[in-house]
Structure formats: C-alpha cells, structure tokens
Amino acid sequence: MYNNNPTLEDRGKTIDESKQGAAFFPEESAVLGTEGSRHFYIESYGCQMNFSDSEIVASILDGVGYKPTKNMEAADLILINTCSIREKAEYNVRQRLRVYNKVKDQKPGTLIGVLGCMAERLKEKFLQQEKLVDLVVGPDAYRDLPKLVASAEEGEKGLNVLLSREETYADINPLRLNSNGVTGFISIMRGCDNMCSFCVVPFTRGRERSRNAFTILAEATDLFDRGYKEVTLLGQNVDSYHWKNPENDGEVNFAQLLEMVAKVHPDLRVRFSTSHPKDITDEVIETIASFENICKYIHLPVQSGNSRILKLMNRTYDREWYMERVKRIYEIMPDCAISSDMISGFCTETEEEHQDTISMIDFAKYSMSYMFTYSERPGTLAARKYEDDIPREVKKRRLQEIIDRQAEVSMEHNKKDIGKTFKVLIEGDSKKSDQDWRGRNSQNKMIIFPKSENQKPGDYVFVKVNKATSATLIGEMEK
Ligand code: SF4
C-alpha cells in the first residue's frame, strides 16, 4: 500500500551501468496521456523482493507520465504485486481483485494489472479466470509495462511472462514507496538456482543472476546522500551473489559486495536478506564482524531441524551442517542475532522429526522466526513426487508447538538485553504512542523509548533497555 508523496528528486532517475559509480541522469521518455494526468495505485504482497520490485515498477511508470496515488478510486491503473508462496497468499489476491472490480464497475476504463509471482505462475490462465483483469506481467517483464498499458488503454489485454537470464533492472532507480526516508531496500540479484522441493520461486522468478556491483554501490551512495541511514541488500539467496565484470573479468562475491557498501559511509547501516545455510561462508561472517555498520543480524532459514526431511526438501544441507554454521557465527560474533524460517508438517514428517525442529530452536537460540505449515504448491518437486500426507490438524498442532517454543526463546533472548545499552537508529513514531520513538538495534530488534528534545528519524541514539516482551525491547535514552 503506497502512503506518501514521492519527492521531486525521486522521479525518473536511472543508473547508467557503463558509467560505474557515476551520478544519475533524468531521462526524457514517451509520455502516456498528458503529463501528471494519469495515476496508478499499487499494492504489494509477499517478500521484500516484491516491495522492492513495486518501486522499480513505480519508477518505470513515473518515467512515462503515470503518477502514483494512494487513492484507489482516483487511479486510472490499479496494480497488485502478488505472492504465490502459499495457497493463502493467492486466495488473498483474488479477494483484492473483488475490491478492484467494484472500482472498475463505478469507473469503466480503469485498468487492472496483476504483477509478480502469481502472474508468472498462472500466466494467460489468469486472464481467462479473471475477466476484469487487463494486464498480467511477470517479475522479469516490467520494462514492457508502458507498451502493455498503452495497448490496454486501446482495449487490448496485455500479457508478458517471459523470464530472463539477464534482467536485473540495474539501470532503474526505484521510486521509493512507503518510505520513511531512513531505510531502503536494494535488490542485488534476482531469481534462485536452489530447487527446494516445496518452493515456487525458481518457477516464478527464474534463474539466479547477480546485478552489476557498481550500480548497487551507486544506489547505496545515492540513498545515503539523500539522508537514508540504512540499506537492506535483497536476494532470494544473497550468499551466492557473484558478479563478473564484463569489462575486466574482475569478480565480486557477497563478502566483497558487503565491504563495498559498508565503505560508503560509517553512518550507513547495512543489512541483507535472505541467507542460505549452504552458502554462508566464513569470509561473509568475518566481513560482517569487521565493520561496525554491517548489522549483527543474520536471517538463516532452516525450514526443518531433521536431516531426512531436509533431504526431501532438497535443502542441500543436513542438521549437522546447519548447526556448524550457527556455531561458527556465534564463535565469530557472540552478540549476533539469528532468525529463521520453519515449516511444520512437511510430507511424511514424523513426531520425532518434528521434535528435531523444536530442538533446533533451543540450539540456535533464534531471536525470532517466520513459521508456517507446509502448503503444497502446484508444479513444485514436492507436489509432483510426495503425497501431502500430514493431516491439517497435525500440521497446525505442530506449528503451534514451534510458535510456543520460539516465543519462549525470543523472550529469553530479549530478557538478556535488559540493562544493556544499544545504538539505535530512529525510524519514526512508536505505533502505540507518538510520545515514543521506535527504532532498531544492530540485532534487528525493535526498541521503543520516550522522545526527548532534538531528535528526528534518521538519528542514531543510545538506549538503555529496562523492559522486554518476546517481540519488543523498551528503554530509556542515555543522556
Ligand atoms: S532458496 Fe529455496 S526456499 Fe528460498 S527462494 Fe530459493 S528455492 Fe525457494
């Protein structure tokens, strides 16, 4: 959901890959309709990659005269950037389409477009199933949007779901949406070459490709120059980032990229998501440890704590490998926080194997986790090879056990922070009270503390923690 007006300098900027590290240049391009007269409204669902993609879409449309609006009824073009990771996610999309259709009934001529992973998974079937949808555009085809929108304005349905092996949108400067002006996403790669048997991403986002490192550096520098204080580097599996410079065969891996971005400025915090246990190297861990401004937080999805299930999931590591990586992270950075993803009730999972996931929470001492029941996805390896044989109520009971144990461990994790002082980046007002600030420490924990004079979002302050819940730390600013 888009909620604030873009600033002038956000509009129509591009990054020229051949001018590594060069300044940005506004570009003149074909305008649809008269300047400023057409508006688009966009909703984004799913992972951070999708939110980042919506900012690329916004920049492409802004470049051809379509201006963002947060008022759906005022829009000429309504877009939804979809997620396909779980059945529920797709159900939500269909619910939203019902709402858009009502707007279209009131204002015929309004265009409706479906973007993202569900568009890629269903392709032309989407246009057959949803008569009021005008555009279906996959994650690698957003450059084609202006042409497809122009044809749709003439009444022609638009479809482009071609996946690419090259596309990284590296030359497009995202138009920041929902921005607090303090933190921003930077997508560093697209697609995924892992074939986890439960996952649709390789089918909806295609093969892995890494973006030109110098365009990433230019985007981080530009954000810092515009007052942002934190960037999150995004990829399905950032640890396998690997860019080969076509000009001199130089190579940049993830550890080197982290170092390049960390050196933009000591006051620019660097986060990244998502890591893959099989690819997180000692070099990456040591690089995080050697820069104060690279945050001491790693999201390291385990999915299951049992080696037989990990094999069925095709995660390419086993329980022992994962535990060794966790041990290594804590050896090098004892104060690092680790979070995870876990799936309950994967095909043929026994009670003992479920207990291995529970005991992994105790071993890894996750600060928090994203936890789901297994949701069979059409076209995946698991859907083709394994029966989804764990009854729904067993999946849900196991999920609840994982959630309960994680809540206990998160509480312990946060209790240990009481009495400690952390450097916190102010992000904005607390959701509960505008008398309090909210911000996060390096470990990605949200801290709430009373305002005092002369601070603003984007400032770093030191906060002493005096209370904790399983989700939040509460404290006082140090004088
Ligand atoms: S690493 Fe596995 S779970 Fe993650 S996006 Fe790739 S295939 Fe999906």
Side-chain angles (χ1 to χ4, degrees):
M1 181 91 47
Y2 174 62
N3 68 4
N4 63 11
N5 293 321
T7 53
L8 190 56
E9 88 269 12
D10 281 340
R11 299 181 179 193
K13 283 201 176 160
T14 61
I15 304 175
D16 184 333
E17 281 204 49
S18 63
K19 295 204 179 67
Q20 295 157 355
F24 301 126
F25 304 95
E27 282 204 15
E28 298 317 310
S29 49
V31 172
L32 288 170
T34 51
E35 179 62 29
S37 69
R38 295 202 164 275
H39 291 84
F40 71 90
Y41 168 91
I42 187 165
E43 285 179 7
S44 311
Y45 293 86
C47 65
Q48 292 168 329
M49 279 304 282
N50 251 9
F51 285 80
S52 169
D53 279 359
S54 293
E55 297 183 332
I56 288 168
V57 165
S59 185
I60 291 170
L61 290 171
D62 186 72
V64 291
Y66 259 86
K67 302 302 165 200
T69 176
K70 57 183 177 185
N71 176 359
M72 189 197 297
E73 283 75 20
D76 305 285
L77 171 63
I78 299 175
L79 296 170
I80 181 166
N81 196 350
T82 64
C83 172
S84 195
I85 207 81
R86 305 173 53 71
E87 200 173 340
K88 181 85 174 45
E90 295 200 352
Y91 171 81
N92 295 343
V93 169
R94 299 219 187 254
Q95 297 305 97
R96 293 307 295 160
L97 287 172
R98 305 282 156 275
V99 176
Y100 307 161
N101 292 348
K102 289 204 186 93
V103 173
K104 192 165 180 162
D105 290 344
Q106 306 298 320
K107 212 177 83 179
T110 304
L111 300 177
I112 297 176
V114 176
L115 314 177
C117 293
M118 191 178 173
E120 188 65 44
R121 191 178 79 73
L122 291 172
K123 301 181 169 50
E124 59 284 347
K125 266 192 272 155
F126 217 125
L127 290 172
Q128 291 145 16
Q129 293 168 356
E130 299 284 347
K131 296 287 178 247
L132 290 179
V133 168
D134 304 286
L135 302 165
V136 172
V137 186
D140 286 349
Y142 296 147
R143 286 180 198 273
D144 203 20
L145 264 170
K147 190 168 75 28
L148 293 168
V149 170
S151 321
E153 283 175 345
E154 309 302 318
E156 206 184 306
K157 296 281 183 184
L159 175 74
N160 187 337
V161 286
L162 286 177
L163 286 174
S164 159
R165 284 181 177 271
E166 280 84 40
E167 182 62 87
T168 62
Y169 301 114
D171 61 322
I172 295 178
N173 192 23
L175 186 60
R176 304 291 156 175
L177 301 173
N178 286 347
S179 174
N180 58 11
V182 175
T183 61
F185 294 138
I186 300 181
S187 133
I188 65 170
M189 59 200 298
R190 299 183 71 81
C192 187
D193 284 351
N194 299 316
M195 292 301 283
C196 302
S197 63
F198 54 82
C199 184
V200 288
V201 171
F203 307 98
T204 60
R205 284 186 166 271
R207 294 279 70 76
E208 199 169 270
R209 64 227 100 125
S210 295
R211 180 181 163 192
N212 174 323
F214 294 103
T215 67
I216 297 167
L217 194 57
E219 190 173 332
T221 308
D222 173 59
L223 283 172
F224 185 72
D225 293 347
R226 289 160 50 194
Y228 285 74
K229 289 291 178 47
E230 181 183 285
V231 292
T232 300
L233 307 181
L234 293 179
Q236 308 294 345
N237 171 11
V238 291
D239 298 297
S240 61
Y241 174 89
H242 184 249
W243 178 65
K244 213 169 185 173
N245 186 338
E247 303 208 350
N248 57 20
D249 283 340
E251 300 186 4
V252 179
N253 67 18
F254 187 53
Q256 291 155 339
L257 180 70
L258 271 178
E259 182 165 344
M260 286 166 73
V261 178
K263 284 181 174 166
V264 167
H265 194 283
D267 285 348
L268 181 69
R269 266 189 177 170
V270 184
R271 297 187 185 278
F272 57 88
S273 189
T274 295
S275 280
H276 194 292
K278 78 168 170 44
D279 294 322
I280 190 163
T281 60
D282 281 13
E283 188 195 359
V284 166
I285 301 169
E286 277 145 12
T287 304
I288 301 169
S290 53
F291 286 86
E292 186 273 340
N293 61 331
I294 302 180
C295 292
K296 307 299 175 275
Y297 167 72
I298 298 174
H299 184 57
L300 197 66
V302 69
Q303 306 298 5
S304 167
N306 175 267
S307 294
R308 187 185 74 86
I309 295 294
L310 286 169
K311 192 148 183 48
L312 289 181
M313 287 177 163
N314 194 29
R315 288 288 288 170
T316 64
Y317 57 84
D318 60 13
R319 178 179 174 83
E320 287 63 39
W321 170 279
Y322 185 89
M323 292 169 89
E324 186 281 333
R325 290 289 83 197
V326 168
K327 231 171 25 200
R328 192 76 186 118
I329 292 169
Y330 287 141
E331 266 164 23
I332 296 173
M333 297 182 288
D335 65 343
C336 186
I338 301 176
S339 63
S340 195
D341 295 351
M342 287 171 273
I343 293 175
S344 75
F346 188 71
C347 315
T348 72
E349 182 190 64
T350 65
E351 274 308 319
E352 292 69 41
E353 292 165 342
H354 162 58
Q355 289 308 322
D356 284 344
T357 300
I358 301 272
S359 65
M360 182 61 83
I361 302 172
D362 298 330
F363 171 82
K365 297 189 174 29
Y366 298 126
S367 57
M368 55 82 74
S369 290
Y370 301 96
M371 301 155 279
F372 306 97
T373 57
Y374 170 58
S375 170
E376 185 181 82
R377 305 307 295 132
T380 58
L381 189 72
R384 284 182 275 127
K385 284 180 70 178
Y386 313 131
E387 193 203 337
D388 182 8
D389 59 352
I390 307 296
R392 192 171 156 69
E393 63 283 354
V394 174
K395 282 182 183 177
K396 293 184 81 170
R397 189 258 304 156
R398 288 180 186 172
L399 175 65
Q400 195 54 52
E401 289 172 6
I402 291 172
I403 290 173
D404 295 347
R405 179 56 60 82
Q406 180 58 66
E408 288 162 11
V409 169
S410 297
M411 190 65 214
E412 281 157 34
H413 208 289
N414 285 354
K415 269 196 188 148
K416 285 201 184 97
D417 290 335
I418 293 175
K420 289 184 187 166
T421 296
F422 291 102
K423 182 178 173 183
V424 173
L425 174 59
I426 298 178
E427 291 178 27
D429 289 354
S430 152
K431 293 217 165 56
K432 289 208 179 109
S433 149
D434 60 10
Q435 301 308 303
D436 295 335
W437 286 124
R438 77 172 197 281
R440 283 172 294 146
N441 64 4
S442 181
Q443 286 74 16
N444 202 33
K445 291 187 178 178
M446 192 55 82
I447 304 189
I448 306 298
F449 56 99
K451 293 183 181 180
S452 57
E453 269 131 52
N454 310 329
Q455 295 103 34
K456 62 187 183 314
D459 288 354
Y460 288 104
V461 292
F462 288 87
V463 178
K464 184 166 185 178
V465 176
N466 49 34
K467 265 192 290 175
T469 70
S470 63
T472 312
L473 301 175
I474 295 107
E476 297 279 336
M477 237 179 64
E478 295 238 313
K479 296 283 177 288

